[in-house]
Amino acid sequence: MRCHIFTRDDWGKTLDVQETECGSPEEALQLGSAGVANQPTEVWCGPRRLGRFEPERSHGRPLPRLHALLTLAERRLHEREQHISKQETLINRLKREGRDLALALCVLDTLIETQKTHLHERDLIVAEVAKRFG
C-alpha cells in the first residue's frame, strides 16, 4: 500500500512529504513515528490519516526554533493588519456607493477573528521565551 508521511509546522502547514510503500498500516505508523524529530508528523494511507506524532517537548523548543516561530508569527500579524486595513477601505467605498455591506462586514469579522488567533499564538511563543529566560 502507498503511504505518505507529512512533516507539519506548528500551524499545520506541510513542510515535507515522503511517499513510501508499506506492507501494512502498522508498518506505515512505525515509519512515521521513527521520523518525528522537531516537527509534528502525520501518516496517511490513501485518503485516511492513520496517525499523528508529536515531538517530545519536555525540554522546550530550541531557541533558534522559537526565534523562527516568533518571526513567522510577527510576519503573519503584519500581513493580517494589511488585510484588515484593505477590507476597511473597501467597506468605506461600498458605503459611499450605497451598496450592501453584509458580505464585506462578514469578511472583516473573519479577518479580525483570525488576527486574534495569531495574536494569541504570538503571545504563547513570547511566554515560552520569557519562561526560559525570565
Side-chain angles (χ1 to χ4, degrees), residues 114-134:
T114 303
Q115 184 71 333
K116 288 178 186 177
T117 302
H118 287 296
L119 282 167
H120 179 68
E121 187 84 37
R122 194 247 348 244
D123 291 346
L124 291 173
I125 296 167
V126 169
E128 187 171 340
V129 170
K131 184 173 76 175
R132 291 180 64 194
F133 298 100

Side-chain angles (χ1 to χ4, degrees), residues 3-4 15 46 48 52-53 62 64 67 70-71 73 90 98 100 104 107 109 112-113 118 123 126:
C3 296
H4 294 86
L15 299 173
R48 190 171 139 230
R52 179 177 171 90
F53 301 96
H67 182 275
L70 187 56
T71 300
L90 174 66
D100 184 22
V107 171
D109 287 344
I112 291 170
E113 287 303 311
H118 287 296
D123 291 346
V126 169

Side-chain angles (χ1 to χ4, degrees), residues 60-106:
R61 297 175 186 153
L63 188 57
R65 181 166 155 72
L66 282 172
H67 182 275
L69 289 173
L70 187 56
T71 300
L72 180 61
E74 291 290 344
R75 188 182 83 224
R76 286 181 174 164
L77 284 169
H78 178 72
E79 289 170 354
R80 294 324 172 263
E81 281 297 324
Q82 290 177 331
H83 292 159
I84 290 169
S85 178
K86 286 179 184 178
Q87 190 66 19
E88 289 171 337
T89 301
L90 174 66
I91 288 169
N92 288 331
R93 190 189 79 203
L94 293 173
K95 196 182 293 184
R96 282 192 310 273
E97 295 172 359
R99 298 184 51 195
D100 184 22
L101 302 177
L103 181 59
L105 290 171
C106 285

Side-chain angles (χ1 to χ4, degrees), residues 4-5 26-37 41-43 53:
H4 294 86
I5 300 171
E26 291 78 20
E27 182 182 343
L29 288 170
Q30 188 174 19
L31 287 171
S33 67
V36 175
T41 303
E42 292 182 4
V43 179
F53 301 96

